[in-house]
């Protein structure tokens, strides 16, 4: 969990996994995410999480080594993508801060998340 979002003193230079969003900010409304798993050997997913309190960590289920999606503000996802595969997700997002995460067990804690901003 050392690399999970909002962990004090985290050093993301040690992250073994990551998510890139381009662009990192969009206007509120309908947003389409085009997701590609660039891994050669690992299944990943991309979940959009609304951050009600951006300074606070997401609720985490230690026993499952993953974020509690029901409590965390899950807005939609591109479910498990095999290596090299792609998927899309279109959601209506209000202005605010979001996280894009992979919630395959262990991946979020390994640094597989990125901040995403939706502006007015």
């Amino acid at each position: 969990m050392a690399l999970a979002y909002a962990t004090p003193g985290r050093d993301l230079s040690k992250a073994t996994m990551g998510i890139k969003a381009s662009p990192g900010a969009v206007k509120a409304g309908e947003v389409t995410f085009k997701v590609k798993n660039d891994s050669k050997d690992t299944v990943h997913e991309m979940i959009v999480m609304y951050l009600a309190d951006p300074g606070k960590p997401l609720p985490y289920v230690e026993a499952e080594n993953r974020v509690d999606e029901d409590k965390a503000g899950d807005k939609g996802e591109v479910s498990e993508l095999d290596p090299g595969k792609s998927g899309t997700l279109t959601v209506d997002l209000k202005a605010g801060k979001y996280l894009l995460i992979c919630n395959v067990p262990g991946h979020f804690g390994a640094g597989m998340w990125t901040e995403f901003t939706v502006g007015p």
Side-chain angles (χ1 to χ4, degrees), residues 6-17:
T7 301
R10 71 176 181 262
D11 180 0
L12 286 177
S13 69
K14 293 180 170 68
T16 56
M17 298 182 175

Side-chain angles (χ1 to χ4, degrees), residues 102-115:
C102 178
N103 206 23
V104 170
H107 293 194
F108 176 72
M112 197 160 186
W113 57 268
T114 192
E115 295 174 326

Side-chain angles (χ1 to χ4, degrees), residues 45-93:
E45 65 184 359
M46 191 276 310
I47 304 174
V48 179
M49 297 286 187
Y50 174 69
L51 294 173
D53 183 350
K56 217 171 142 186
L58 294 178
Y60 200 76
V61 182
E62 293 286 344
E64 296 177 13
N65 207 15
R66 58 195 295 277
V67 172
D68 184 330
E69 295 173 21
D70 294 332
K71 291 182 182 173
D74 181 346
K75 296 296 177 195
E77 68 182 79
V78 175
S79 294
E80 290 80 3
L81 288 172
D82 288 331
K85 298 296 181 189
S86 298
T88 60
L89 169 69
T90 300
V91 287
D92 191 25
L93 299 178

Side-chain angles (χ1 to χ4, degrees), residues 21-35:
S22 179
V26 297
K27 291 200 178 296
E30 192 173 271
V31 179
T32 298
F33 292 91
K34 295 175 184 171
V35 182

Side-chain angles (χ1 to χ4, degrees), residues 19-21 98-101 111-116:
I19 290 180
K20 288 182 247 179
Y98 294 79
L99 273 190
L100 307 179
I101 75 166
M112 197 160 186
W113 57 268
T114 192
E115 295 174 326
F116 186 75

